[in-house]
Amino acid sequence: MNFRRIELIFLVTFIAIDIFLFGMFEQNTNQQADNMSDGDSDSQVVKEMRDDQIEVSHLSEKKNFAYYLSGTQNDILRQQMGQLANQTPHYVSHELESEFKEPVTVNKTTPQKSINQMLNDPTFVLNGGQYSYSKNLSTSRNLVYSQKAMGSSIYSSEAQISFTLNANHQIVSYTQSYLQDVKSLREKSETISETRALIWLYQYNEIPNNTKIAWTKLGYTKLLSIDNDRVFIPTWIIGIKPQDSPEIQLKKINAFTGGIIKETTGNLKDSQDLSDLTN
């Protein structure tokens, strides 16, 4: 990876984005200040959320530290897939798709525990020790593992393993993507708290009434791509479940600046079995 080139492009892009976002935040803060008395606080805003029938559990005021990260999407999986056993792997567009010749039986109630024990077996999955189970992205038939980086997880389809289970609680196939040479681009910096992320999301009118904050998670999402190089930023990922919908809506907030990341918002099916998959 040409880090001098990626850092230069990244810094120029970052500065432009931050200037734009700072202007948005300043404008939003001024608008909020006009509408809120001097005695208002975070707890008062959370109370307003609950008054709007937004179900919110205990929120943390703790601030964390995170990095800007870079990684490379290359063909390392294709080079290594010959060591896989009991599988028929195919490599397409930086993604490994593999079917097991004989389905792999896992624990019925906590299938992730069985998979965790097999992750370090290079004949089962490649570089498995670099992934961890993502409960909030998984369902009873699809278990998602996200690639780890700097003490957190990368929430991206470019750094993920997705295992497919059949009705007999057996793994029949999986897809895998992998980022190589993941490293920080600059020193760690302080992030906003979980409470602040929710409050800004609410004040941006991004949380409808009659909804539930299903979960929140601090991880990394993609900021930009340069050829095969990727740059990631720390992001508060928030799952919102409307009372009248079976889907969980994903909202994402830049954990450094508080800006909403609209282009990566998506949906997840919320099956009854989702709550049964515990760590």
Side-chain angles (χ1 to χ4, degrees), residues 157-188:
S157 60
E158 297 177 337
Q160 193 176 86
I161 304 176
S162 180
F163 295 98
T164 300
L165 277 62
N166 61 20
N168 296 322
H169 304 281
Q170 297 173 311
I171 305 174
V172 293
S173 64
Y174 68 89
T175 60
Q176 180 182 7
S177 54
Y178 178 71
L179 290 170
Q180 193 173 20
D181 299 327
V182 177
K183 58 189 66 179
S184 63
L185 287 176
R186 53 181 293 184
E187 294 297 319
K188 63 182 179 181

Side-chain angles (χ1 to χ4, degrees), residues 15-148:
I15 292 171
I17 292 174
D18 271 13
I19 292 173
F20 171 73
L21 290 176
F22 180 78
M24 290 178 58
F25 303 149
E26 188 174 32
Q27 181 181 10
N28 179 268
T29 300
N30 292 336
Q31 291 175 346
Q32 293 297 331
D34 292 338
N35 297 326
M36 298 173 65
S37 65
D38 293 337
D40 284 327
S41 64
D42 287 356
S43 59
Q44 177 61 33
V45 178
V46 172
K47 181 181 181 299
E48 293 175 7
M49 294 171 64
R50 293 189 171 115
D51 290 341
D52 286 337
Q53 306 303 311
I54 298 172
E55 186 177 340
V56 184
S57 60
H58 173 73
L59 299 175
S60 174
E61 297 281 355
K62 179 182 177 181
K63 295 181 180 180
N64 299 279
F65 288 88
Y67 305 82
Y68 287 94
L69 300 181
S70 67
T72 303
Q73 189 179 50
N74 55 26
D75 294 334
I76 188 67
L77 293 180
R78 179 168 58 187
Q79 299 169 21
Q80 297 177 341
M81 67 183 190
Q83 61 189 284
L84 296 170
N86 183 37
Q87 301 176 40
T88 304
H90 303 279
Y91 190 79
V92 181
S93 300
H94 300 296
E95 186 174 75
L96 179 67
E97 301 174 355
S98 189
E99 295 182 2
F100 287 98
K101 297 176 182 178
E102 294 292 335
V104 179
T105 300
V106 293
N107 187 288
K108 292 183 179 180
T109 56
T110 54
Q112 72 277 8
K113 290 185 178 181
S114 298
I115 295 176
N116 290 344
Q117 295 175 355
M118 297 184 287
L119 279 181
N120 289 320
D121 181 356
T123 67
F124 172 69
V125 69
L126 301 172
N127 307 308
Q130 298 185 39
Y131 296 80
S132 61
Y133 175 59
S134 293
K135 173 184 175 181
N136 297 320
L137 301 182
S138 300
T139 67
S140 60
R141 294 291 184 88
N142 188 258
L143 270 64
V144 175
Y145 279 69
S146 299
Q147 192 172 340
K148 296 179 290 186

Side-chain angles (χ1 to χ4, degrees), residues 238-273:
I238 302 164
I240 298 176
K241 185 181 183 302
Q243 292 182 359
D244 57 352
S245 173
E247 293 186 337
I248 290 180
Q249 301 173 0
L250 296 187
K251 302 289 185 176
K252 301 183 181 183
I253 285 196
N254 186 318
F256 280 153
T257 65
I260 295 176
I261 307 175
K262 284 183 173 292
E263 64 271 17
T264 54
T265 299
N267 292 320
L268 284 177
K269 288 293 184 181
D270 177 33
S271 68
Q272 180 64 37
D273 294 325

